[in-house]
Amino acid sequence: MSDETSDASASSIPIVKLRPRKAQPFFGRHPWVRDSGIDKVIGKVQDGDVVQLHSDKDRFIAYGLINRNSHLRVRLYSWDQEQPLADEFWRGRLERAILMRREMGLLQDDTGCRLVYSEADGLSGLIVENFAGHLMIQVTSLGMYRRIESIAAILTDLLQPKSISLRGEAGILKLEGLEVESRMLVGELPGEPIEIVENDLRYEVDLSEGQKTGFYLDQRDNRRVAASYLPHNAKVLDMFCYSGGFAMNAARHGGAASVHGVDGSGPAVSAAQRNVERNQLNNVSFEKADCFDYLKARVDAGDKYDAIILDPPKFTKSRRTIDEALRAYFHINRHATQLLRPGGILVTCSCSGNVSRDEFLMMLLGVSQKTGRDLRLLEQRGAAPDHPVSATCLENEYLKCFIASVS
Ligand code: SAH
C-alpha cells in the first residue's frame, strides 16, 4: 500500500469512466467491473493501482483496484468518496471480518475457520483461513497480491498468529496475469500436521501438503446437522470422505452403528484413518476407491444402507460443461438412492458454483423419476456462516447441501 496514502485527494486518483448505461450495477454495489463496460481510463495507472470509477456523466461511484490483464478490470471496495483505499480502509475491513467470526464463537485457540471470504467481506480477491493460530492466505487478484505484505502486517497486529503463509494458486496466471508461489509471510509452519477441533472432533490438518487449505471448513455445520438426521443405529456410507468429517460426525453425534468412508486419494484416506484413531471411534472404516465405481459395484451387489453422504469435488469450472456435471451428479445420486432402504437419508452436496440450486433440484427430480423413489427434502443448506454470501455479489454462492428422506 506504499503508493497510496490516506490523504491522497480524490482528484489525484486516476479515473475509470464507464460507457453510457453501464453504471447501474455499480451504483448498486456490485464489485466487478468488466472490461466491456469501460469507456476510458483518465490518468496514468499501473496494474494494481487505486482508481475511482465514474459514470459516463462523471459521477463518482466507488474506489477500486485496476488490473488490465483481468477480465474483471476493476474490483470495487469503497463506495464512500471520503474513504479511499489506504491502509486504514483495509484494516477496517479486516477488523470487521474478524469480529464477525469472533462473535460467532469461531475464533478459539484450537479451531479452524475462514476469517475473510473475498467479496462477502468486501475484500474481493482475498481469502484468509485460520487453523489453530496458523493463517493461510489465498489471493485471487493482482491488487490484493500487491498489498499482501501490508495485509499480513495488519493480520499480525490484529491476531498475533503463529504463522502466516501464502498459498499459490494455479489458475490465476491466466485470469489475472499473476504468478503466486507458496511462501511464508510471517513465522514458520510446524514440521508436522497440526490439530484442530470441530464439533468436538479432532482432526489433523497438514498445512503444507493438504488439498485446498488442508481442511474443508465450509461443511462444518452440515456435518453436524447431517448426523442429527441419521436413523438410530444406522449403517452409513460417506462418499468422497476426504479426512472423514461426515463419517466421524455420524459416528460421534449421529449414533451410527457403522460408517464406511470412501475417497480416491490415498493421503486423504490415511489421514481419515488417523483421525478415527485420534477420536477413538471404532466403528468407522475407510477405503481408497473411485466413488463412481464403488457406488455401481454396491448397487450390482444389492447392498443396502440407512444413510449415504455424497460430497463430491467440483464437477465443473465453467457453464460450458454444465451438462456433463449434471450427468455426473445424476449418476451418483441415482446410485445412492437405489442403495438406500425405504426411509433412508440422503445427504447430497454440490460445491460447483456454476450449478445453481434450481438445476441441482431438477437433477434430484430426475433421480426420483428414474428410480421411482420419493425424495422429500428435509433441509436445503449452504456453507457455514464463516463463508457468507454478499447480497450484492450472489455469484459467490457455491455450496449446496440437501438432506432428503428417501421412501
Ligand atoms: N466430504 C469431505 C470433503 C470432500 S472434498 C469433508 O467433509 O471434508 C472431495 C473429495 O473427493 C476429495 O477428497 C477428493 O480426493 C475426492 N475425489 C474426487 N474424485 C473422486 C472420485 N472419482 N472417487 C473418489 N474420490 C474422489
Side-chain angles (χ1 to χ4, degrees), residues 23-267:
Q24 197 223 342
F26 311 114
F27 280 121
R29 302 178 76 88
H30 197 280
W32 298 336
V33 186
R34 293 176 202 278
D35 47 357
S36 55
I38 294 173
D39 176 16
K40 60 182 169 189
V41 179
I42 304 163
K44 211 168 148 281
V45 290
Q46 284 185 351
D47 292 322
D49 279 356
V50 177
V51 293
Q52 43 181 329
L53 187 72
H54 281 199
S55 69
D56 64 308
K57 307 261 177 349
D58 283 320
R59 260 184 74 196
F60 171 86
I61 303 175
Y63 292 112
L65 302 179
I66 191 167
N67 179 5
R68 288 160 302 179
N69 306 304
S70 175
H71 183 54
L72 303 182
R73 191 59 55 96
V74 181
R75 292 171 188 256
L76 300 176
Y77 298 90
S78 167
W79 278 261
D80 178 351
Q81 200 159 8
E82 305 303 313
Q83 277 269 19
L85 307 181
D87 272 9
E88 273 316 296
F89 174 82
W90 302 115
R91 190 183 179 88
R93 281 284 153 98
L94 290 167
E95 274 173 348
R96 187 178 85 171
I98 292 166
L99 178 65
M100 192 174 84
R101 276 70 175 184
R102 201 185 291 286
E103 287 180 341
M104 288 172 188
L106 292 173
L107 259 178
Q108 314 298 326
D109 287 347
D110 57 359
T111 55
C113 92
R114 181 164 286 197
L115 288 173
V116 177
Y117 183 26
S118 203
E119 288 80 11
D121 287 295
L123 289 165
S124 180
L126 181 72
I127 293 174
V128 184
E129 292 185 330
N130 172 30
F131 292 99
H134 295 278
L135 305 188
M136 308 276 301
I137 299 186
Q138 285 168 271
V139 281
T140 55
S141 82
L142 182 142
M144 281 295 149
Y145 185 66
R146 261 189 48 191
R147 290 160 178 78
I148 203 67
E149 304 292 340
S150 320
I151 287 165
I154 297 169
L155 289 170
T156 302
D157 193 38
L158 295 176
L159 292 164
Q160 295 85 48
K162 294 180 186 135
S163 74
I164 306 182
S165 47
L166 178 66
R167 212 182 158 77
E169 280 284 313
I172 185 109
L173 181 63
K174 214 167 123 215
L175 292 172
E176 291 276 312
L178 170 71
E179 209 150 356
V180 179
E181 288 196 359
S182 298
R183 65 185 155 98
M184 293 310 298
L185 296 169
V186 173
E188 285 302 323
L189 281 177
E192 53 194 39
I194 60 152
E195 180 180 280
I196 62 163
V197 179
E198 178 195 277
N199 299 338
D200 298 324
L201 289 159
R202 298 167 184 284
Y203 295 83
E204 69 164 54
V205 178
D206 191 337
L207 296 173
S208 52
E209 297 297 330
Q211 302 171 39
K212 212 176 122 187
T213 41
F215 190 75
Y216 295 90
L217 296 163
D218 50 1
Q219 292 282 28
R220 178 191 310 112
D221 295 354
N222 295 334
R223 294 180 183 119
R224 181 77 183 241
V225 171
S228 74
Y229 281 98
L230 296 185
H232 193 57
N233 275 332
K235 179 181 170 195
V236 181
L237 189 58
D238 178 9
M239 302 305 290
F240 308 92
C241 64
Y242 190 51
S243 56
F246 279 98
M248 293 206 300
N249 276 267
R252 171 66 53 83
H253 302 298
S258 70
V259 191
H260 192 57
V262 181
D263 198 282
S265 149

